[in-house]
Amino acid sequence: VQLQASGGGLVQAGDSLRLSCAVPELAFSNYHMGWFRRAPGKEREFVAAIKWRDASTRYVDSVKGRFTISRSVTKDTVYLQMNSLKLDDTAIYYCAVAPFSRAAPFTTDETQFKHWGQGTLVTVSS
């Protein structure tokens, strides 16, 4: 099973974009969803995460106040609303799922995430 992110595109700095990721039926019921990104020439990095059960969220500092992660239980979809986009936000954005772990209950470590898909490209131009 791969999670497919969608909604990417070419936008100008300052614009907004909303990414979506449909969550398939999973073998585990307690998990959190994460958005990651890989900018050109850089390592993949954590962007945001949300606990499916209670919608608690976490963000990387560089997107706080600009990006909002949310989920729809009825649509089984996680979203990433991106506002005030900057050139540095240009990247391929991926969604993935992390099963609950008592050792790291709300981890942002990408090695704990599963079901990576192809990602969706977001290009921010000046």
Side-chain angles (χ1 to χ4, degrees):
V1 176
Q2 290 185 323
L3 298 178
Q4 186 55 55
S6 62
L10 173 63
V11 296
Q12 292 188 319
D15 284 352
S16 298
L17 208 57
R18 189 177 80 160
L19 306 182
S20 300
C21 177
V23 183
E25 186 172 343
L26 300 170
F28 34 85
S29 60
N30 192 358
Y31 56 91
H32 60 278
M33 300 297 300
W35 284 98
F36 292 77
R37 65 185 179 187
R38 186 194 303 274
K42 295 187 178 181
E43 297 292 318
R44 187 161 58 189
E45 67 167 349
F46 166 78
V47 177
I50 186 167
K51 288 186 177 180
W52 197 258
R53 286 188 172 182
D54 65 10
S56 300
T57 58
R58 295 187 67 177
Y59 297 92
V60 67
D61 287 346
S62 60
V63 307
K64 285 180 180 177
R66 299 189 299 121
F67 290 12
T68 302
I69 187 171
S70 62
R71 68 28 171 166
S72 168
V73 175
T74 56
K75 295 183 178 180
D76 289 328
T77 301
V78 62
Y79 304 98
L80 185 67
Q81 177 67 43
M82 306 185 294
N83 299 329
S84 302
L85 282 161
K86 303 177 180 180
L87 299 181
D88 287 348
D89 295 319
T90 293
I92 298 174
Y93 284 73
Y94 305 86
C95 59
V97 57
F100 175 79
S101 166
R102 292 187 183 279
F106 202 5
T107 183
T108 61
D109 178 359
E110 67 172 85
T111 65
Q112 302 304 307
F113 283 79
K114 304 176 182 294
H115 303 306
W116 297 91
Q118 297 290 329
T120 186
L121 177 62
V122 174
T123 304
V124 184
S125 65
S126 59

PDB file of all heavy atoms in Angstrom, residues 87-109:
ATOM      1  N   LEU A  87      10.047  30.534  -1.562  1.00  0.00           N
ATOM      2  CA  LEU A  87      10.881  29.807  -2.517  1.00  0.00           C
ATOM      3  C   LEU A  87      11.452  28.542  -1.874  1.00  0.00           C
ATOM      4  O   LEU A  87      11.553  27.493  -2.530  1.00  0.00           O
ATOM      5  CB  LEU A  87      12.016  30.697  -3.022  1.00  0.00           C
ATOM      6  CG  LEU A  87      11.615  31.966  -3.765  1.00  0.00           C
ATOM      7  CD1 LEU A  87      12.853  32.729  -4.214  1.00  0.00           C
ATOM      8  CD2 LEU A  87      10.733  31.641  -4.958  1.00  0.00           C
ATOM      9  N   ASP A  88      11.804  28.638  -0.599  1.00  0.00           N
ATOM     10  CA  ASP A  88      12.396  27.497   0.116  1.00  0.00           C
ATOM     11  C   ASP A  88      11.427  26.342   0.326  1.00  0.00           C
ATOM     12  O   ASP A  88      11.838  25.260   0.741  1.00  0.00           O
ATOM     13  CB  ASP A  88      12.932  27.946   1.476  1.00  0.00           C
ATOM     14  CG  ASP A  88      14.203  28.775   1.357  1.00  0.00           C
ATOM     15  OD1 ASP A  88      14.777  28.793   0.255  1.00  0.00           O
ATOM     16  OD2 ASP A  88      14.600  29.402   2.356  1.00  0.00           O
ATOM     17  N   ASP A  89      10.142  26.577   0.068  1.00  0.00           N
ATOM     18  CA  ASP A  89       9.155  25.494   0.203  1.00  0.00           C
ATOM     19  C   ASP A  89       9.122  24.604  -1.027  1.00  0.00           C
ATOM     20  O   ASP A  89       8.432  23.580  -1.029  1.00  0.00           O
ATOM     21  CB  ASP A  89       7.768  26.082   0.456  1.00  0.00           C
ATOM     22  CG  ASP A  89       7.678  26.821   1.770  1.00  0.00           C
ATOM     23  OD1 ASP A  89       8.245  26.334   2.773  1.00  0.00           O
ATOM     24  OD2 ASP A  89       7.031  27.891   1.802  1.00  0.00           O
ATOM     25  N   THR A  90       9.834  24.984  -2.062  1.00  0.00           N
ATOM     26  CA  THR A  90       9.893  24.151  -3.261  1.00  0.00           C
ATOM     27  C   THR A  90      10.466  22.785  -2.907  1.00  0.00           C
ATOM     28  O   THR A  90      11.569  22.690  -2.369  1.00  0.00           O
ATOM     29  CB  THR A  90      10.756  24.826  -4.332  1.00  0.00           C
ATOM     30  OG1 THR A  90      10.108  26.016  -4.777  1.00  0.00           O
ATOM     31  CG2 THR A  90      10.961  23.897  -5.520  1.00  0.00           C
ATOM     32  N   ALA A  91       9.702  21.734  -3.218  1.00  0.00           N
ATOM     33  CA  ALA A  91      10.118  20.384  -2.847  1.00  0.00           C
ATOM     34  C   ALA A  91       9.094  19.381  -3.359  1.00  0.00           C
ATOM     35  O   ALA A  91       8.002  19.751  -3.788  1.00  0.00           O
ATOM     36  CB  ALA A  91      10.238  20.254  -1.327  1.00  0.00           C
ATOM     37  N   ILE A  92       9.473  18.132  -3.266  1.00  0.00           N
ATOM     38  CA  ILE A  92       8.493  17.058  -3.448  1.00  0.00           C
ATOM     39  C   ILE A  92       7.946  16.759  -2.063  1.00  0.00           C
ATOM     40  O   ILE A  92       8.723  16.519  -1.133  1.00  0.00           O
ATOM     41  CB  ILE A  92       9.132  15.808  -4.065  1.00  0.00           C
ATOM     42  CG1 ILE A  92       9.693  16.132  -5.448  1.00  0.00           C
ATOM     43  CG2 ILE A  92       8.108  14.689  -4.165  1.00  0.00           C
ATOM     44  CD1 ILE A  92      10.472  14.989  -6.080  1.00  0.00           C
ATOM     45  N   TYR A  93       6.650  16.748  -1.948  1.00  0.00           N
ATOM     46  CA  TYR A  93       5.994  16.522  -0.667  1.00  0.00           C
ATOM     47  C   TYR A  93       5.421  15.107  -0.631  1.00  0.00           C
ATOM     48  O   TYR A  93       4.752  14.670  -1.576  1.00  0.00           O
ATOM     49  CB  TYR A  93       4.884  17.549  -0.447  1.00  0.00           C
ATOM     50  CG  TYR A  93       5.421  18.909  -0.073  1.00  0.00           C
ATOM     51  CD1 TYR A  93       6.042  19.723  -1.016  1.00  0.00           C
ATOM     52  CD2 TYR A  93       5.326  19.380   1.241  1.00  0.00           C
ATOM     53  CE1 TYR A  93       6.564  20.955  -0.679  1.00  0.00           C
ATOM     54  CE2 TYR A  93       5.837  20.620   1.581  1.00  0.00           C
ATOM     55  CZ  TYR A  93       6.455  21.397   0.627  1.00  0.00           C
ATOM     56  OH  TYR A  93       6.964  22.627   0.971  1.00  0.00           O
ATOM     57  N   TYR A  94       5.684  14.439   0.461  1.00  0.00           N
ATOM     58  CA  TYR A  94       5.251  13.065   0.658  1.00  0.00           C
ATOM     59  C   TYR A  94       4.380  12.951   1.902  1.00  0.00           C
ATOM     60  O   TYR A  94       4.584  13.662   2.879  1.00  0.00           O
ATOM     61  CB  TYR A  94       6.452  12.137   0.863  1.00  0.00           C
ATOM     62  CG  TYR A  94       7.490  12.166  -0.219  1.00  0.00           C
ATOM     63  CD1 TYR A  94       8.516  13.111  -0.182  1.00  0.00           C
ATOM     64  CD2 TYR A  94       7.479  11.243  -1.252  1.00  0.00           C
ATOM     65  CE1 TYR A  94       9.492  13.136  -1.172  1.00  0.00           C
ATOM     66  CE2 TYR A  94       8.452  11.258  -2.238  1.00  0.00           C
ATOM     67  CZ  TYR A  94       9.453  12.204  -2.184  1.00  0.00           C
ATOM     68  OH  TYR A  94      10.421  12.215  -3.154  1.00  0.00           O
ATOM     69  N   CYS A  95       3.443  12.023   1.859  1.00  0.00           N
ATOM     70  CA  CYS A  95       2.726  11.682   3.075  1.00  0.00           C
ATOM     71  C   CYS A  95       3.056  10.229   3.423  1.00  0.00           C
ATOM     72  O   CYS A  95       3.386   9.428   2.555  1.00  0.00           O
ATOM     73  CB  CYS A  95       1.220  11.876   2.926  1.00  0.00           C
ATOM     74  SG  CYS A  95       0.456  10.907   1.620  1.00  0.00           S
ATOM     75  N   ALA A  96       2.983   9.935   4.695  1.00  0.00           N
ATOM     76  CA  ALA A  96       3.281   8.595   5.181  1.00  0.00           C
ATOM     77  C   ALA A  96       2.596   8.410   6.528  1.00  0.00           C
ATOM     78  O   ALA A  96       2.097   9.371   7.118  1.00  0.00           O
ATOM     79  CB  ALA A  96       4.789   8.392   5.298  1.00  0.00           C
ATOM     80  N   VAL A  97       2.589   7.191   7.003  1.00  0.00           N
ATOM     81  CA  VAL A  97       1.894   6.874   8.253  1.00  0.00           C
ATOM     82  C   VAL A  97       2.858   6.195   9.222  1.00  0.00           C
ATOM     83  O   VAL A  97       3.684   5.379   8.825  1.00  0.00           O
ATOM     84  CB  VAL A  97       0.672   5.968   7.989  1.00  0.00           C
ATOM     85  CG1 VAL A  97       1.077   4.695   7.274  1.00  0.00           C
ATOM     86  CG2 VAL A  97      -0.070   5.653   9.276  1.00  0.00           C
ATOM     87  N   ALA A  98       2.730   6.548  10.483  1.00  0.00           N
ATOM     88  CA  ALA A  98       3.547   5.947  11.532  1.00  0.00           C
ATOM     89  C   ALA A  98       2.642   5.235  12.525  1.00  0.00           C
ATOM     90  O   ALA A  98       1.838   5.883  13.201  1.00  0.00           O
ATOM     91  CB  ALA A  98       4.374   7.014  12.243  1.00  0.00           C
ATOM     92  N   PRO A  99       2.738   3.924  12.626  1.00  0.00           N
ATOM     93  CA  PRO A  99       1.946   3.209  13.635  1.00  0.00           C
ATOM     94  C   PRO A  99       2.348   3.654  15.031  1.00  0.00           C
ATOM     95  O   PRO A  99       3.488   4.067  15.254  1.00  0.00           O
ATOM     96  CB  PRO A  99       2.330   1.737  13.408  1.00  0.00           C
ATOM     97  CG  PRO A  99       2.946   1.693  12.062  1.00  0.00           C
ATOM     98  CD  PRO A  99       3.579   3.016  11.847  1.00  0.00           C
ATOM     99  N   PHE A 100       1.415   3.551  15.949  1.00  0.00           N
ATOM    100  CA  PHE A 100       1.709   3.959  17.327  1.00  0.00           C
ATOM    101  C   PHE A 100       2.843   3.122  17.898  1.00  0.00           C
ATOM    102  O   PHE A 100       2.889   1.912  17.728  1.00  0.00           O
ATOM    103  CB  PHE A 100       0.465   3.817  18.192  1.00  0.00           C
ATOM    104  CG  PHE A 100       0.725   4.107  19.641  1.00  0.00           C
ATOM    105  CD1 PHE A 100       0.819   5.416  20.082  1.00  0.00           C
ATOM    106  CD2 PHE A 100       0.901   3.074  20.551  1.00  0.00           C
ATOM    107  CE1 PHE A 100       1.071   5.698  21.413  1.00  0.00           C
ATOM    108  CE2 PHE A 100       1.156   3.346  21.885  1.00  0.00           C
ATOM    109  CZ  PHE A 100       1.243   4.661  22.313  1.00  0.00           C
ATOM    110  N   SER A 101       3.728   3.794  18.592  1.00  0.00           N
ATOM    111  CA  SER A 101       4.827   3.132  19.275  1.00  0.00           C
ATOM    112  C   SER A 101       4.952   3.726  20.666  1.00  0.00           C
ATOM    113  O   SER A 101       5.042   4.945  20.805  1.00  0.00           O
ATOM    114  CB  SER A 101       6.139   3.340  18.506  1.00  0.00           C
ATOM    115  OG  SER A 101       7.255   2.995  19.302  1.00  0.00           O
ATOM    116  N   ARG A 102       4.970   2.884  21.691  1.00  0.00           N
ATOM    117  CA  ARG A 102       5.115   3.398  23.057  1.00  0.00           C
ATOM    118  C   ARG A 102       6.470   4.070  23.245  1.00  0.00           C
ATOM    119  O   ARG A 102       6.595   5.005  24.025  1.00  0.00           O
ATOM    120  CB  ARG A 102       4.946   2.268  24.068  1.00  0.00           C
ATOM    121  CG  ARG A 102       3.537   1.718  24.124  1.00  0.00           C
ATOM    122  CD  ARG A 102       3.379   0.721  25.273  1.00  0.00           C
ATOM    123  NE  ARG A 102       2.048   0.131  25.277  1.00  0.00           N
ATOM    124  CZ  ARG A 102       0.979   0.712  25.786  1.00  0.00           C
ATOM    125  NH1 ARG A 102       1.090   1.906  26.355  1.00  0.00           N
ATOM    126  NH2 ARG A 102      -0.193   0.113  25.738  1.00  0.00           N
ATOM    127  N   ALA A 103       7.456   3.620  22.520  1.00  0.00           N
ATOM    128  CA  ALA A 103       8.801   4.187  22.649  1.00  0.00           C
ATOM    129  C   ALA A 103       8.861   5.592  22.043  1.00  0.00           C
ATOM    130  O   ALA A 103       9.634   6.435  22.484  1.00  0.00           O
ATOM    131  CB  ALA A 103       9.817   3.284  21.975  1.00  0.00           C
ATOM    132  N   ALA A 104       8.059   5.830  21.028  1.00  0.00           N
ATOM    133  CA  ALA A 104       8.067   7.135  20.349  1.00  0.00           C
ATOM    134  C   ALA A 104       6.650   7.434  19.891  1.00  0.00           C
ATOM    135  O   ALA A 104       6.330   7.293  18.712  1.00  0.00           O
ATOM    136  CB  ALA A 104       9.038   7.119  19.178  1.00  0.00           C
ATOM    137  N   PRO A 105       5.791   7.850  20.802  1.00  0.00           N
ATOM    138  CA  PRO A 105       4.357   7.944  20.504  1.00  0.00           C
ATOM    139  C   PRO A 105       3.970   8.976  19.455  1.00  0.00           C
ATOM    140  O   PRO A 105       2.903   8.863  18.868  1.00  0.00           O
ATOM    141  CB  PRO A 105       3.738   8.275  21.863  1.00  0.00           C
ATOM    142  CG  PRO A 105       4.845   8.832  22.669  1.00  0.00           C
ATOM    143  CD  PRO A 105       6.086   8.159  22.201  1.00  0.00           C
ATOM    144  N   PHE A 106       4.757   9.945  19.223  1.00  0.00           N
ATOM    145  CA  PHE A 106       4.420  10.962  18.219  1.00  0.00           C
ATOM    146  C   PHE A 106       5.708  11.360  17.499  1.00  0.00           C
ATOM    147  O   PHE A 106       6.053  12.539  17.408  1.00  0.00           O
ATOM    148  CB  PHE A 106       3.766  12.170  18.889  1.00  0.00           C
ATOM    149  CG  PHE A 106       2.926  13.017  17.962  1.00  0.00           C
ATOM    150  CD1 PHE A 106       2.685  12.657  16.646  1.00  0.00           C
ATOM    151  CD2 PHE A 106       2.360  14.210  18.422  1.00  0.00           C
ATOM    152  CE1 PHE A 106       1.904  13.428  15.800  1.00  0.00           C
ATOM    153  CE2 PHE A 106       1.574  14.998  17.593  1.00  0.00           C
ATOM    154  CZ  PHE A 106       1.352  14.607  16.283  1.00  0.00           C
ATOM    155  N   THR A 107       6.351  10.345  16.979  1.00  0.00           N
ATOM    156  CA  THR A 107       7.650  10.555  16.377  1.00  0.00           C
ATOM    157  C   THR A 107       7.586  11.327  15.061  1.00  0.00           C
ATOM    158  O   THR A 107       6.585  11.270  14.346  1.00  0.00           O
ATOM    159  CB  THR A 107       8.353   9.209  16.128  1.00  0.00           C
ATOM    160  OG1 THR A 107       9.662   9.438  15.609  1.00  0.00           O
ATOM    161  CG2 THR A 107       7.582   8.370  15.101  1.00  0.00           C
ATOM    162  N   THR A 108       8.654  12.035  14.767  1.00  0.00           N
ATOM    163  CA  THR A 108       8.808  12.691  13.463  1.00  0.00           C
ATOM    164  C   THR A 108       9.960  12.051  12.687  1.00  0.00           C
ATOM    165  O   THR A 108      10.342  12.545  11.623  1.00  0.00           O
ATOM    166  CB  THR A 108       9.069  14.191  13.623  1.00  0.00           C
ATOM    167  OG1 THR A 108      10.287  14.382  14.347  1.00  0.00           O
ATOM    168  CG2 THR A 108       7.927  14.870  14.361  1.00  0.00           C
ATOM    169  N   ASP A 109      10.492  10.976  13.231  1.00  0.00           N
ATOM    170  CA  ASP A 109      11.587  10.238  12.597  1.00  0.00           C
ATOM    171  C   ASP A 109      11.053   9.505  11.375  1.00  0.00           C
ATOM    172  O   ASP A 109      10.226   8.607  11.505  1.00  0.00           O
ATOM    173  CB  ASP A 109      12.175   9.268  13.615  1.00  0.00           C
ATOM    174  CG  ASP A 109      13.293   8.416  13.044  1.00  0.00           C
ATOM    175  OD1 ASP A 109      13.601   8.571  11.841  1.00  0.00           O
ATOM    176  OD2 ASP A 109      13.851   7.608  13.791  1.00  0.00           O
TER     177      ASP A 109
END
